[in-house]
């Protein structure tokens, strides 16, 4: 496991932008951002796979969110543009340190979460 420390959440009006950051304390095979709204299940928002240098996005955020990673700083980012009220949720940084699989049930490291609130 690694320690993951998120920052960058906050409140913004619809159409606005936010950038989330996640600093990892060690190496990871893949990393991602998940979110959970009240009363809903946790869902994957965006994932990045180090070995393949590939990214996967939820359909609901494609074209609006961009995931990236600075390997030198071991920091993951999520640039969120054109935010909508339905993007309101607790956002979690996540990682798998053992395998290149960042499906929800394969995650072995979680951050503490950062709240994103989008008002209409």
């Amino acid at each position: 496991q690694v320690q993951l420390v998120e920052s960058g959440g906050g409140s913004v009006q619809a159409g606005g932008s936010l950038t989330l950051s996640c600093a990892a304390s060690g190496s990871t095979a893949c990393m991602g951002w998940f979110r959970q709204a009240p009363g809903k299940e946790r869902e994957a928002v965006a994932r990045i796979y180090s070995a393949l240098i590939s990214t996967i996005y939820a359909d609901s955020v494609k074209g609006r969110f961009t995931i990236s990673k600075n390997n030198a700083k071991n920091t993951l980012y999520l640039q969120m543009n054109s935010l909508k009220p339905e993007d309101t949720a607790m956002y979690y940084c996540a990682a798998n340190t053992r395998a290149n699989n960042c499906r929800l049930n394969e995650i072995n490291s979680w951050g503490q979460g950062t709240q994103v609130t989008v008002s209409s």
Side-chain angles (χ1 to χ4, degrees):
Q1 294 184 346
V2 294
Q3 285 190 323
L4 303 172
V5 180
E6 302 118 330
S7 60
S11 296
V12 65
Q13 289 192 328
S17 298
L18 284 173
T19 300
L20 305 182
S21 300
C22 172
S25 64
S27 62
T28 59
C30 62
M31 296 185 74
W33 292 96
F34 291 73
R35 67 185 180 188
Q36 188 166 20
K40 294 189 176 182
E41 294 184 351
R42 190 169 296 190
E43 63 175 357
V45 175
R47 291 164 282 176
I48 188 165
Y49 290 80
S50 301
L52 299 178
I53 316 177
S54 64
T55 56
I56 299 175
Y57 294 92
D59 287 343
S60 59
V61 306
K62 281 181 182 176
R64 301 187 298 120
F65 290 12
T66 302
I67 188 171
S68 62
K69 187 169 182 282
N70 184 322
N71 287 328
K73 295 183 178 181
N74 214 15
T75 299
L76 183 73
Y77 302 96
L78 185 67
Q79 175 66 45
M80 304 184 292
N81 298 326
S82 302
L83 282 160
K84 304 175 181 180
E86 51 263 43
D87 294 319
T88 296
M90 184 72 77
Y91 283 70
Y92 296 91
C93 178
N96 187 331
T97 59
R98 296 191 297 263
N100 201 23
N101 185 337
C102 269
R103 291 189 176 92
L104 178 61
N105 61 349
E106 297 292 339
I107 297 296
N108 64 356
S109 299
W110 292 96
Q112 78 283 1
T114 185
Q115 179 68 37
V116 171
T117 302
V118 184
S119 58
S120 57

